[in-house]
Every structure is written in structure tokens, then in C-alpha cells.
């Protein structure tokens, strides 16, 4: 704990010429950013889904830091004398209410903290619901593709049959020519039947590879998609009962996590767009060259 306290104090001294008495609060924010930068490789691995443990490691590794922050500003020490504007970093919301009420000097500092946490939690909830809706739509599209392929294959069969009749009707007038044409049509029909059988087998294999969700499973996923994003507001409840310094740490790490997730998703979308664009350009170039 002494190493942690020494680091925060030294960062506060570096920022004191600019931020005066709020320098220690800024040092806590800066210290949290440094911790999250150190954990960024694990966050990227968790986003890629490399291992199930990778998604838990960033949270587990932050717990000791949070407890150190809590202990440093709960027990007696030199950090308790530092402030964020009018509120001591070791005070809680209940202490601020006892000092000047909800809209007192200390109460306003806590209200501002709660407001920023609520904005970050709302942003996280909106993004979570959009991600759940996109995942449900992707699962529905994957389940409908085999059915659409079967319908299109069934729609092509009558056209093949009519084409055969027309080609047979335009055959030669002689009996030998009709027999030869009939043999050719029969061979083509057999080849087409085998091709259609292989296409249906491939469609069946694709349908088996994509498991369809039952109505109950889809309902459970829909409910979880609506409830899980609301858990981000739990940070607001925690910040109301811990010291102000710990609340600043929670605000910074939560905002970093949401912004980091948004950046990783945007980067993934750009990478997917780059991989699709060259193929499209090649197809367009090939069509243009064939027309020339």
C-alpha cells in the first residue's frame, strides 16, 4: 500500500502547479489510465475471444488496485487531506449530505460525479442493446439462408424441364435424329439431376452446420439483451457508497472500457470492409473487361 500511496502522491506533485488542490484527484485518473493501458493487450484478447479466461483477466487484475485505492482513502493517511474542489477524496456521499445537504459544496461534487457515471452507463447500455440486436439479426439471417437456397433450387427445376421440351421439339424430323436427341437429353437430365442432388446435399449440410434456435431460446436471448446492458448502472450504486477517490477510479475505468470496446468494434468493421472491397473491385473489373 505504501508503494501505491507514494506513486499517487508523486503524480499529484507533478500536476500540482496546474491543478492546485485537485492535483491528487487528477493523479488518480492518470494512474487509472496507466493501469488500463497495461491491461489493453488482455482486453484485445478478450474482444477476439481467444480464451474464456481472457475475458475475466482484465476485471480480476483490477480488483487489487481498487481495494488498494479503497483502503488508502478509508484509513488514516496523508491522502485524506487532499480534495476534489470542495469535497475531500476520503469522504462518502453520506458525509457530503451531512455537511451541506444535497446541493451543498460537497454534494454538488458528488452529483457531478454521479451524472458523468450515468452518462457513461447509458452509453454502455445503448451499445449493449445494439450489439444484442445485431447478433440476433445475424443468427436469424444464418438460419434463413438454407431455406432460401432450397426455394431457389426448387424454382429452377420447372424452367429446366421446359428448356428440355423446347430443345426436344426443335430436333430433327428423322427418327434416328429424334432418338439421338432423346439420348442426349436423357444424359443431360441425368447429369443435371446429379448436380441438383449434390446442391441439395450441400444445402442440407449447411443447414445442419447452423443450429437453429428454438422460440424459447430466442426469447431468453431477447430478455438477456434487454437486462444485461442495465448492469452497467451498478457502477452508479457502488460510487454512492465508496470514498470519492474510489468513485473517480470507477468512473475512469468504466469510461475507458466502453470507449475501448467501441474502438475495437470500429476497427474490426473497418478491417472487414477492407477485405470485402478488393474482391468487389476485382469482380467489377472482370465484368468490365469481359464487356470490352
Amino acid at each position: 500500500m505504501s508503494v501505491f500511496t507514494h506513486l499517487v502522491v508523486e503524480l499529484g506533485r507533478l500536476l500540482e502547479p496546474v491543478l492546485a488542490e485537485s492535483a491528487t484527484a487528477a493523479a488518480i485518473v492518470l494512474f487509472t489510465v496507466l493501469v488500463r493501458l497495461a491491461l489493453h493487450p488482455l482486453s484485445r484478447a478478450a474482444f477476439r475471444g481467444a480464451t474464456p479466461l481472457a475475458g475475466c483477466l482484465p476485471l480480476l487484475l483490477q480488483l487489487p488496485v481498487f481495494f488498494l485505492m479503497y483502503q488508502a482513502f478509508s484509513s488514516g493517511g496523508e491522502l485524506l487531506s487532499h480534495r476534489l474542489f470542495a469535497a475531500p477524496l476520503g469522504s462518502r456521499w453520506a458525509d457530503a449530505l451531512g455537511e451541506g445537504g444535497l446541493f451543498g459544496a460537497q454534494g454538488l461534487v458528488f452529483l457531478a460525479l454521479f451524472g458523468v457515471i450515468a452518462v457513461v452507463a447509458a452509453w454502455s447500455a445503448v451499445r449493449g442493446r445494439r450489439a444484442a440486436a445485431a447478433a440476433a439479426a445475424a443468427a436469424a439471417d444464418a438460419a434463413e439462408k438454407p431455406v432460401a437456397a432450397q426455394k431457389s433450387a426448387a424454382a429452377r427445376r420447372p424452367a429446366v424441364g421446359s428448356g428440355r421440351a423446347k430443345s426436344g421439339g426443335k430436333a430433327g424430323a428423322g427418327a434416328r435424329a429424334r432418338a439421338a436427341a432423346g439420348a442426349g437429353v436423357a444424359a443431360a437430365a441425368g447429369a443435371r439431376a446429379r448436380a441438383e442432388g449434390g446442391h441439395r446435399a450441400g444445402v442440407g449440410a449447411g443447414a445442419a452446420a447452423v443450429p437453429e434456435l428454438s422460440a424459447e431460446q430466442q426469447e431468453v436471448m431477447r430478455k438477456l439483451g434487454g437486462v444485461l446492458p442495465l448492469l452497467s448502472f451498478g457502477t452508479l450504486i457502488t460510487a454512492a457508497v465508496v470514498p470519492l477517490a474510489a468513485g473517480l477510479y470507477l468512473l475512469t475505468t468504466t469510461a475507458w472500457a466502453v470507449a475501448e470496446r467501441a474502438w475495437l468494434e470500429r476497427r474490426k468493421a473497418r478491417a472487414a470492409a477492407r477485405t470485402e472491397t478488393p474482391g468487389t473491385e476485382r469482380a467489377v473489373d472482370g465484368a468490365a473487361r469481359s464487356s470490352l
Side-chain angles (χ1 to χ4, degrees), residues 7-253:
L7 179 59
V8 173
V9 169
E10 291 301 323
L11 288 175
R13 288 176 180 173
L14 292 176
L15 299 174
E16 188 173 1
V18 179
L19 300 175
E21 62 180 6
S22 298
T24 303
I28 293 172
V29 174
L30 180 59
F31 174 79
T32 309
V33 170
L34 294 176
V35 172
R36 292 310 306 251
L37 281 174
L39 297 177
H40 179 68
L42 292 177
S43 299
R44 294 182 63 178
F47 179 78
R48 293 193 303 266
T51 59
L53 184 60
C56 301
L57 279 178
L59 177 62
L60 294 176
L61 293 177
Q62 286 185 81
L63 289 179
V65 180
F66 177 77
F67 285 129
L68 287 175
M69 185 81 66
Y70 182 87
Q71 290 293 331
F73 288 92
S74 296
S75 59
E78 57 178 324
L79 293 178
L80 293 179
S81 59
H82 297 272
R83 295 173 171 267
L84 174 61
F85 300 112
L89 292 176
S91 64
R92 294 174 171 81
W93 188 37
D95 301 331
L97 293 177
E99 287 293 331
L102 182 62
F103 298 103
Q106 296 185 21
L108 290 176
V109 175
F110 277 92
L111 287 179
L113 175 67
F114 297 157
V116 179
I117 292 177
V119 170
V120 174
W123 182 29
S124 176
V126 170
R127 293 191 59 85
R129 288 185 175 179
R130 288 178 180 175
D141 292 341
E144 290 176 358
K145 283 181 180 179
V147 178
Q150 290 177 356
K151 289 182 179 179
S152 62
R156 287 194 298 268
R157 291 171 192 164
V160 173
S162 62
R164 293 174 194 163
K166 292 179 181 179
S167 62
K170 293 181 180 179
R176 293 178 181 177
R178 286 195 299 269
V185 169
R192 287 171 180 168
R194 287 192 297 271
E196 290 178 0
H199 175 73
R200 289 195 296 270
V203 171
V210 180
E212 296 183 0
L213 297 178
S214 63
E216 295 180 356
Q217 291 175 337
Q218 291 179 0
E219 183 65 18
V220 170
M221 290 183 63
R222 186 185 66 81
K223 291 181 178 179
L224 288 177
V227 173
L228 289 179
L230 298 179
L231 297 179
S232 56
F233 289 94
T235 306
L236 187 61
I237 301 174
T238 306
V241 297
V242 298
L244 179 59
L248 286 174
Y249 180 86
L250 289 175
L251 169 62
T252 308
T253 189

